[in-house]
Amino acid sequence: MDVARHGMRRILVEAAAVVWLAVVAGAFLAPALQHGSAIGPYDLLGILGITAHASAHAHNVVGSDEIQEFIPWQALSWLQVHSGHLPLWDPFNLLGMPLAYNFEAAPFSLTVALGYAFPLALAHTATVYVRLVVAGSGAYVLSRMLRLGVPASIVGATIFELSGAFTIWIGTYEAGFYCFLGWVLAASVALLAGRRRAVPGVLLAVTMALALAAGEPQVDLVMVAFVAVFVAVVLVTRRWGAGGTWVGARPGRAVLDHLLALGAACGLVAPVVLPGIQLLVHSARSSGPFVSGLPPHDLTHLLFASYSGVPTNLASVIGPDNLYVSTVFVGAVGLILAFTGLAWVRQWRPEVLAFWVLVVVLGIALFAPPVAAAMRHLPGLKVFRLVLATTPLDFGFAMLAAFGVHALVGTERGRVGAGADGVAGEGGVAGEGGVGDGLDEVTRWADRLFVVATGFLAIALAVFEVRLGIGLGHLTPAQTSVRSASFLWPAIGVALCVVFLAARILRPRLGARGRKGVGWAAFRRCSTVAAGTAGVAVLLCAEVAFCITGGGWLLSSTSRPLAVTRAVAALKHAVGDKLVGIGACTENGFPDLGIMPDVNIVYGVHELIGYDPIIPTTYYSSYGALTGGSKAPLIPHVFCPAVTSVRIARFYGVSYVLEPPGVAGPRGTTRVAVVGGEGLYAVPGSGRATLVPLHRASRLGATSTGIPAGSVVPSTESLAGTWRVHVDAHARSLLVLRVTAVPGWRATIDGKPLTLRTTHTVLLAAVVPAGRHVVVLRYWPPLLRAGLLIAAVSAAGLLAVLAWAGRSRWRARVPTADR
């Protein structure tokens, strides 16, 4: 009965911890949810292009990627899934782009897929919330796997869940990837323990696969490197046990198990990774932008949320860097507790040393300019997004903070338990192998480190305050106000740490004046533990308040996501499913015309503009050949060709061109409407599919439309990745299809295979015989089929491992006849 009661109590405690993490996630989103249930910077649409309206006010104009990429991609995936199709192709941007394989849309990732179970307006909100809970629960499970107490585990999980480097990405794929970091390491720790291999190995493979399905190759490498360093440090520093036997799994076996799990994880995500890599190597992303780190002074952002300015507008961003890579705060409480975690080095806890090595290495890599400068000279690393490692940095601090709390209050629980067993002694109790004395030593060192860290941050705050006062003459009143206000929560955190420290120093002295005896000593220890836990709870609440005020208010929401304005409705009515180009557009910049790139997806408008990480280099070379300009991408993930002539329009199949108010369209076009003040000009003789006489195609250009070769009537099934074209050719002709020429397209003519070719580097074409025919294009990459086979083999292998392990344990428990 006592065992059952203890087990039920433990379950309730663990469940309460998870509930806390779920509540904290809701509290973080609460400030934004006051304005509506749809989380996301939808208000940016109100100030740009034809989605603008007079009463619009943008809450945060810096964090635009969430609405420019991830929300539209998730909406398109949601629509395709609810229509019974795999989300493989985006037909609305440029001449169509792969959706599932750009590594950032991540339509098959767990957190995005869970959004499919909700109404479209709430899908992204559900995804954001789930990422917070998954991140916190993973860090909590890892802490418990590291034998940390519940209070310590809650602190570490909460700090990571609300840390700046995680929550700043919360609406993007980075958070969808890094939310599994704690789960991956928890499985790794179980594998390193060496008690079992099968179940931890399978869990490691599955959790890594869930992460890889949500990330891109570069961020995948960051996580793999993070886990590899953690495992290496733990194996190298692990002590030999009594009798010369190795504690935990042997190094060779542990490394092999991790490699097998990584291989199985890669196999599970092969259907996404293989076609994606094939596209990535031919994309503009492989040519830039070059690697860059953070300046050393950005280390202050570990302590402050907005010391360098309000990160919500282009004129006042945190430091000289982008908002997403500069926001790395963990707060004063988190930093002090993380430094306190060093006390466990006295007991040579390999995990603590591993996290400190990771924090130091990541800190040097991110904040030491020579590192980025050196990487730019290495062919494979010069375009590596080093700043994606800010989230693992905060994760390391969070785990060290959990060790710090365990050193302050968790070890005292061990002393109380030992005292209850009847072992006397005021200064500590003896356990197996003298553990009690060792834990007392850890606590004493934790107190000293807590004093040092608190004093250092108090002095640092004073220095920063003086520095701010000296620089007031260079700041506007608004900037001065923001910087001054940024000191509030760090100062509160340091002050509460001082109070906590004072209570720890004074309480034992006050208790010593009371009664004597073993029973009184045990009661006093219990009260000390309770007081220490209460003090940690106060520090945790201060940390939560700091993170919410520092990061939560950056989020925005609305009750009417992706509302259709009158101008958008007019444009959709005028153009139908025809392609719209932008007349006044910088090739590598965003226009203030039409609909924001990618957002046009949700309105069903096709635009010749792309904001995508895997835009093929052929787009830039084709436009350069047309205009005589540069063929190299300036901004690798942006392509906006200015449609300044009918020739350019016909090349890409643009049927309409948008121009700014008062600007005439290209010569030869006709204005057909005015939408939102912008002129809409029709391009005669342009279409997404054209016929060219085969004997004249090479001489006159395969995209010429001035030669009558027959009629073409294309129709798109946008949600199915299928394109049907009705052809009536006068003679054997070349059918030119304005579809992005990427691997994966297959064609049939009247149900028979039709060979596709690439023309003008970026378009598809096929030779069709004279007469009436139906040409059907379907997007289904060959590597997808191979990836599905590999994933099936990997899944079967993992199931076989579990079955074998279960059978072995069952046979070990069943007595034989000889017994």
Side-chain angles (χ1 to χ4, degrees), residues 99-110:
L99 174 65
Y101 308 119
N102 64 16
F103 291 113
E104 294 187 8
F108 301 114
S109 66
L110 177 63

Side-chain angles (χ1 to χ4, degrees), residues 94-97 615-624 639 652 740 762:
L94 297 175
L95 303 181
M97 289 291 295
I615 295 178
T617 55
T618 53
Y619 269 107
Y620 303 91
S621 60
S622 66
Y623 187 73
F639 181 69
Y652 292 110
T740 306
V762 74

Side-chain angles (χ1 to χ4, degrees), residues 134-481:
V134 170
S137 58
Y140 177 81
V141 171
L142 171 61
S143 300
R144 297 294 281 154
M145 291 294 299
L146 293 172
R147 306 187 306 280
L148 301 182
V150 172
S153 301
I154 290 177
V155 169
T158 304
I159 290 177
F160 174 60
E161 181 178 342
L162 303 183
S163 63
F166 176 72
T167 57
I168 200 65
W169 305 100
I170 195 61
T172 65
Y173 80 93
E174 288 89 348
F177 173 85
Y178 279 126
C179 67
F180 293 103
L181 185 55
W183 291 100
V184 170
L185 279 181
S188 175
V189 168
L191 202 56
L192 289 172
R195 290 185 291 272
R196 293 181 180 180
R197 300 179 66 186
V199 174
V202 171
L203 289 177
L204 180 59
V206 172
T207 53
M208 291 188 73
L210 291 173
L212 297 177
E216 59 165 323
Q218 291 189 4
V219 76
D220 294 344
L221 290 176
V222 171
M223 185 194 70
V224 171
F226 188 89
V227 176
V229 172
F230 177 84
V231 171
V233 175
V234 169
L235 291 177
V236 169
T237 59
R238 181 176 280 168
R239 295 185 303 172
W240 288 90
T245 59
W246 186 264
V247 177
R250 290 187 173 275
R253 193 182 77 176
V255 172
L256 176 61
D257 290 344
H258 279 79
L259 290 177
L260 291 175
L262 177 60
C266 292
L268 291 175
V269 296
V272 175
V273 172
L274 291 181
I277 292 178
Q278 184 183 32
L279 295 169
L280 188 63
V281 296
H282 299 291
S283 71
R285 181 67 184 85
S286 59
S287 62
F290 290 130
V291 63
S292 62
L294 297 172
H297 63 76
D298 269 358
L299 281 168
T300 58
H301 300 140
L302 289 168
L303 178 61
F304 297 98
S306 56
Y307 175 70
S308 297
V310 181
T312 58
N313 58 72
L314 298 177
S316 179
V317 185
I318 290 184
D321 314 297
N322 185 281
L323 164 68
Y324 294 102
V325 299
S326 297
T327 305
V328 293
F329 61 80
V330 293
V333 172
L335 291 176
I336 291 173
L337 291 176
F339 189 75
T340 305
L342 269 176
W344 285 101
V345 176
R346 298 288 300 180
Q347 274 210 333
W348 205 247
R349 283 291 300 267
E351 300 88 357
V352 176
L353 187 59
F355 281 121
W356 266 107
V357 169
L358 286 165
V359 165
V360 171
V361 170
L362 288 171
I364 294 174
L366 285 167
F367 298 100
V371 174
M375 291 176 65
R376 291 180 185 177
H377 293 86
L378 301 176
L381 297 177
K382 65 180 181 180
V383 296
F384 193 85
R385 298 180 65 191
L386 182 61
V387 291
L388 292 174
T390 55
T391 305
L393 177 69
D394 278 8
F395 183 85
F397 278 116
M399 290 299 98
L400 289 170
F403 276 101
V405 172
H406 193 64
L408 290 171
V409 299
T411 58
E412 297 184 30
R413 290 186 180 274
R415 292 205 300 276
V416 172
D421 292 335
V423 182
E426 191 77 21
V429 295
E432 294 183 6
V435 174
D437 294 335
L439 294 179
D440 281 341
E441 185 180 8
V442 170
T443 301
R444 287 194 294 269
W445 272 97
D447 288 335
R448 296 168 187 170
L449 292 172
F450 193 88
V451 171
V452 173
T454 304
F456 176 80
L457 281 191
I459 295 173
L461 283 174
V463 171
F464 290 142
E465 185 70 43
V466 172
R467 178 65 183 86
L468 178 62
I470 295 174
L472 289 179
H474 304 285
L475 303 175
T476 65
Q479 291 173 331
T480 300
S481 175

Side-chain angles (χ1 to χ4, degrees), residues 501-709:
L501 183 61
R504 288 181 65 82
I505 295 174
L506 295 177
R507 186 173 182 82
R509 295 182 180 178
L510 294 175
R513 300 176 184 176
R515 300 167 60 183
K516 304 291 185 181
V518 175
W520 177 252
F523 172 77
R524 185 165 59 82
R525 292 193 186 99
C526 287
S527 63
T528 301
V529 170
T533 304
V536 169
V538 172
L539 294 180
L540 178 60
C541 290
E543 177 74 5
V544 170
F546 162 73
C547 291
I548 292 176
T549 56
W553 71 278
L554 294 174
L555 302 176
S556 57
S557 67
T558 182
S559 58
R560 298 178 65 244
L562 302 169
V564 179
T565 65
R566 184 175 300 178
V568 170
L571 178 64
K572 177 61 178 175
H573 175 75
V575 304
D577 61 354
K578 299 295 194 301
L579 184 61
V580 179
I582 307 297
C585 184
T586 304
E587 180 183 350
N588 293 284
F590 297 119
D592 189 15
L593 290 173
I595 305 173
M596 185 184 295
D598 292 320
V599 180
N600 56 294
I601 290 173
V602 297
Y603 298 116
V605 177
H606 299 254
E607 288 186 339
L608 187 67
I609 182 170
Y611 184 39
D612 195 299
I614 57 167
I615 295 178
T617 55
T618 53
Y619 269 107
Y620 303 91
S621 60
S622 66
Y623 187 73
L626 279 174
T627 61
S630 173
K631 297 182 180 182
L634 300 178
I635 304 177
H637 50 281
V638 178
F639 181 69
C640 182
V643 183
T644 57
S645 67
V646 171
R647 178 171 174 264
I648 295 176
R650 289 174 176 171
F651 178 89
Y652 292 110
V654 171
S655 298
Y656 295 91
V657 179
L658 279 173
E659 295 285 3
V663 176
R667 181 180 299 179
T669 62
T670 304
R671 193 176 75 175
V672 294
V674 176
V675 292
E678 301 172 10
L680 182 66
Y681 293 82
V683 180
S686 182
R688 295 291 296 273
T690 54
L691 280 174
V692 180
L694 193 60
H695 64 281
R696 297 185 179 182
S698 59
R699 182 167 60 89
L700 296 177
T703 62
S704 173
T705 59
I707 304 169

